[in-house]
Amino acid sequence: MPGAPVSEKAGATRLAQAATAPAALAAPPAERSALRLNSLSAGEQVVKPRGFARQTGVVRAVEGLDPAKLDWTVLQDGRQDGRLLVESAGAVKLRVHFSNFDAGQGEVWLRRGDGTVAGGPYTGKGPYGDGDFWSDPVDGSQLQVEWVGVQDDQPAFRIDRVSHQWPLASGSDDPMYCQLDVSCYSEYSNAAKAIANLDFVADDGGVYICSGELVNSKRSTFAPLFLTANHCMSTETEVRSMVTYWNYQTSKCEGPAPERASSLQISGGTMLSSYAAIGGDFTLIQLPKAPAGAFLLGWSATDPAVGAKVAAIHHPGLPPTSWKRIAFGTRDSDQKGAMYLDSELFPLDNFLQFAETGGRVQQGSSGSPLLNENQQVVGVLSYGYVPTDGGSYCDITGAAAYGKFSLIYPMIREFLEEVPAPALKVSKAKLSFAVADGVAQEPSRQAVVITTDSTTPRGFQISTGASWLAPSVWTGTVSADQPVTVEFFAAPPALPVPGTFNTTATVAMGPVTAASLPVTPVSIAATATVTSRKPVVTAAVLPNPVVAHTPGQDGTNFEFQLLVEEKAGYPVRISSLKIDGVVYSDHIKDLLGATDLAANGSIQATIKANLQPSQADRFIELSGFSPTTGARWSAKATTKFLPLTPEE
């Protein structure tokens, strides 16, 4: 299969959008709204073995941080802004992991410690639509998380992990004098455009660096298919965490060292297929976009002859010296037998042996391609020799090993030849749930078995049309011999009002939006019947938060609307009212205008108060009963009473 260039117009990235961030966000965050992690412990600094991949950092778990921890303020245009500073002492690069993310109608941005834009905006439920993702990387030991939106909107998310990249000291794995600058070989200039350096967060809690390449499909539809090693990434969560760096190479032969941070970056991807060493040690990914100006490598399912000339383009070592290099050599004879590497079995005849005569591949080069004389991919770098302490890769005479593309090809043929995806099936087409008085009734969780005719593992994604329906997993892999059981459940807090609610869950194989890779989504209808003999009363403060004003003649410094609504169809009486912990039960009618609320009715009252401003959460609490059923109810509104914003 020949290679092909990608249109220069392709591939806008999230970082390009970040230039439109509102200037009003440039102010540094308040010191008290900060998560500060101490220097890494000895245990956190232990290097985790991962084949020819190179560890660059570690994941640090943090106590779940949510929007309540943000430092809230009101912008001049009336929007509200919440900010949090995250610091991990000694880090050279940070990322944060979001779970249960929902930006509402607002946007979440990332900034460096100095306030300059570093990533975003993240909107809705995040880039994958399920509220779970790693942020863009931010250089330095500090980053700011900021949400900006209208005052009556509230974001929802948790930050539960921080990716800490440690300083990358010089060592025996730095690229050596024997490395060859790819920019010195103009005949490989197109092929070099297909190769990327990449970071990812592994499920084992480490942060690693590898290489990978774009490959062409037979119809040349320019689908951004990206090939790397399975020992680099083997799960959907790892693929989602990936950041690829493009055009990270010198501008001319032996030119000045390029800056990795200034290269084009693309975050994330969707895993299409992956196999361990018994299948050639590969992972095929679809990127969200093709990088502008990139090249799609051709491939060949025929192994080069022993002794044939081959070449390898790769990113060796660690930043800041890991820019793109090239190595030359010949195919050596296959090795026989098998070996264990990091407790994984490697059948040695699954791998092409690359005898290097110029240049060297090394840790960090994992996943890069071996090219035949037609510059087609014939292998994916899996393993090689590592120098002993104080040694050099330049002194190594053994061969590096590449997973044979001839072995990999049958497992990814459907993507490269763009044939329709195998049928996707689910064991149930309809689900029915019942919720009574806020409690899910049995069976509260209902199992659906997902199967496919595909003999190779395929990625799947689940989406739902309403927040009340959720699966036990949102993504995964499925094959003919590995069906997946997913439990669906209804979330009572998202169903507070009696009635019948209908929605749909969609199970799609592969990337949902890839027109060049046909998929056949399967729908599952879901119904929830909600009943209640209890009143459902809600309370809300408008606007929220409340900003102080200059005290008037009545001495009050705050004014807001309190909206109280009954949503279950029962008349209710309000018998208790507290504002900021102070009991006003004897003044309910004076403050709200009434003590009784009709079924499905509402009261919206203007309340004036003299309160002490604070950034802390304040509560307005109401309770009462239904005169018709006697059932008790309670409601709480949370807000902040912020100080008067000074004129600028």
Side-chain angles (χ1 to χ4, degrees):
M1 178 65 211
V6 176
S7 168
E8 291 288 342
K9 296 181 180 179
T13 69
R14 187 184 298 145
L15 286 182
Q17 296 173 329
T20 62
L25 296 181
E31 278 296 309
R32 69 175 199 82
S33 297
L35 166 68
R36 300 185 187 278
L37 301 176
N38 294 328
S39 299
L40 295 177
S41 66
E44 289 176 312
Q45 296 181 59
V46 174
V47 174
K48 305 172 186 294
R50 200 177 180 92
F52 229 37
R54 183 63 168 88
Q55 188 174 357
T56 62
V58 67
V59 173
R60 313 186 75 178
V62 298
E63 184 177 352
L65 298 170
D66 55 40
K69 305 294 194 303
L70 300 181
D71 178 35
W72 292 98
T73 188
V74 178
L75 303 177
Q76 287 185 337
D77 59 9
R79 294 178 300 164
Q80 61 177 342
D81 171 46
R83 314 178 186 187
L84 173 72
L85 178 67
V86 178
E87 181 177 25
S88 190
V92 296
K93 182 176 292 186
L94 293 180
R95 302 173 73 183
V96 294
H97 181 264
F98 292 104
S99 62
N100 301 319
F101 182 92
D102 189 345
Q105 300 303 308
E107 299 172 337
V108 172
W109 295 84
L110 292 182
R111 291 183 179 271
R112 302 175 184 87
D114 63 5
T116 57
V117 173
Y122 309 116
T123 59
K125 293 184 178 295
Y128 298 97
D130 61 4
D132 187 280
F133 65 98
W134 279 96
S135 75
D136 291 303
V138 177
D139 290 330
S141 62
Q142 293 183 333
L143 66 79
Q144 299 177 34
V145 178
E146 302 181 86
W147 180 89
V148 61
V150 296
Q151 290 194 42
D152 59 353
D153 192 14
Q154 291 290 333
F157 58 78
R158 292 181 70 80
I159 297 173
D160 54 12
R161 283 171 281 168
V162 174
S163 166
H164 173 116
Q165 182 173 299
W166 48 54
L168 306 175
S170 298
S172 62
D173 59 354
D174 278 353
M176 299 293 174
Y177 62 87
C178 60
Q179 291 289 2
L180 303 177
D181 186 351
V182 73
S183 298
C184 297
Y185 300 88
S186 59
E187 66 272 28
Y188 285 91
S189 60
N190 278 334
K193 296 176 183 177
I195 316 301
N197 189 217
L198 62 93
D199 285 332
F200 66 98
V201 180
D203 293 344
D204 66 9
V207 182
Y208 296 88
I209 190 169
C210 279
S211 301
E213 61 273 5
L214 288 168
V215 292
N216 200 9
S217 59
K218 275 198 170 180
R219 288 193 293 153
S220 295
T221 53
F222 307 115
L225 301 177
F226 187 77
L227 191 60
T228 189
N230 169 273
H231 76 264
C232 290
M233 290 174 289
S234 60
T235 68
E236 178 72 13
T237 54
E238 290 175 339
V239 169
R240 284 187 174 198
S241 75
M242 177 179 67
V243 179
T244 48
Y245 297 83
W246 301 89
N247 304 323
Y248 176 37
Q249 62 189 76
T250 55
S251 58
K252 61 181 180 179
C253 179
E254 301 296 344
E259 292 186 6
R260 186 171 184 252
S262 63
S263 62
L264 176 65
Q265 300 174 32
I266 295 180
S267 296
T270 300
M271 190 174 75
L272 302 179
S273 185
S274 187
Y275 252 100
I278 59 172
D281 189 11
F282 78 91
T283 294
L284 183 67
I285 299 163
Q286 176 154 322
L287 300 181
K289 291 182 180 293
F295 187 84
L296 305 177
L297 286 171
W299 42 265
S300 174
T302 301
D303 294 339
V306 173
K309 292 181 179 180
V310 287
I313 304 176
H314 58 105
H315 284 275
L318 299 171
T321 57
S322 56
W323 62 85
K324 203 171 298 176
R325 309 301 212 283
I326 190 168
F328 298 99
T330 58
R331 181 196 171 183
D332 207 347
S333 300
D334 286 356
Q335 294 184 356
K336 303 300 181 183
M339 70 171 182
Y340 280 93
L341 180 62
D342 297 339
S343 301
E344 183 180 341
L345 178 65
F346 280 70
L348 298 180
D349 58 0
N350 284 356
F351 300 90
L352 297 174
Q353 301 298 315
F354 174 41
E356 298 155 313
T357 57
R360 289 291 186 274
V361 295
Q362 60 188 78
Q363 281 189 302
S365 303
S366 282
S368 60
L370 188 68
L371 305 177
N372 63 15
E373 291 184 278
N374 295 320
Q375 299 186 19
Q376 296 170 310
V377 178
V378 291
V380 178
L381 181 58
S382 179
Y383 65 89
Y385 292 94
V386 176
T388 57
D389 291 344
S392 166
Y393 278 96
C394 298
D395 300 329
I396 294 175
T397 57
Y402 288 73
K404 292 180 178 178
F405 194 83
S406 59
L407 175 65
I408 296 169
Y409 170 72
M411 292 178 276
I412 60 175
R413 171 182 170 274
E414 61 190 275
F415 301 104
L416 298 180
E417 298 191 4
E418 298 172 329
V419 298
L424 185 66
K425 305 170 187 176
V426 293
S427 60
K428 294 181 181 179
K430 294 182 179 180
L431 303 172
S432 296
F433 299 92
V435 176
D437 291 328
V439 178
Q441 305 300 293
E442 295 298 334
S444 60
R445 301 175 75 91
Q446 300 180 34
V448 174
V449 180
I450 303 174
T451 58
T452 178
D453 296 332
S454 174
T455 57
T456 60
R458 293 291 307 270
F460 69 85
Q461 299 173 324
I462 299 175
S463 59
T464 62
S467 61
W468 62 262
L469 179 66
S472 55
V473 297
W474 293 93
T475 62
T477 57
V478 62
S479 64
D481 60 350
Q482 293 180 327
V484 176
T485 299
V486 178
E487 290 187 326
F488 287 85
F489 55 93
L495 294 164
V497 181
T500 300
F501 302 87
N502 298 294
T503 191
T504 300
T506 301
V507 184
M509 182 179 290
V512 175
T513 59
S516 61
L517 299 174
V519 295
T520 307
V522 178
S523 296
I524 304 170
T527 299
T529 302
V530 183
T531 58
S532 177
R533 285 184 50 79
K534 296 180 180 179
V536 177
V537 180
T538 62
V541 173
L542 305 172
N544 194 347
V546 185
V547 180
H549 58 72
T550 303
Q553 293 182 350
D554 58 4
T556 62
N557 60 343
F558 286 96
E559 180 176 327
F560 58 92
Q561 301 285 314
L562 179 62
L563 175 62
V564 185
E565 298 178 283
E566 199 288 319
K567 297 182 176 181
Y570 294 95
V572 297
R573 181 162 299 158
I574 305 171
S575 58
S576 174
L577 171 64
K578 293 181 182 179
I579 301 177
D580 198 22
V582 180
V583 177
Y584 291 94
S585 299
D586 293 337
H587 303 281
I588 294 173
K589 189 170 184 178
D590 296 332
L591 292 171
L592 304 185
T595 58
D596 289 348
L597 190 60
N600 296 311
S602 65
I603 294 174
Q604 185 165 338
T606 299
I607 296 179
K608 297 181 179 181
N610 186 3
L611 300 170
Q612 182 66 35
S614 171
Q615 294 281 353
D617 286 338
R618 313 289 272 274
F619 305 102
I620 298 178
E621 302 165 273
L622 304 98
S623 62
F625 62 95
S626 170
T628 58
T629 67
R632 304 291 303 181
W633 61 267
S634 63
K636 179 189 289 187
T638 303
T639 188
K640 296 178 188 292
F641 294 114
L642 301 179
L644 178 66
T645 303
E647 294 292 336
E648 296 186 3

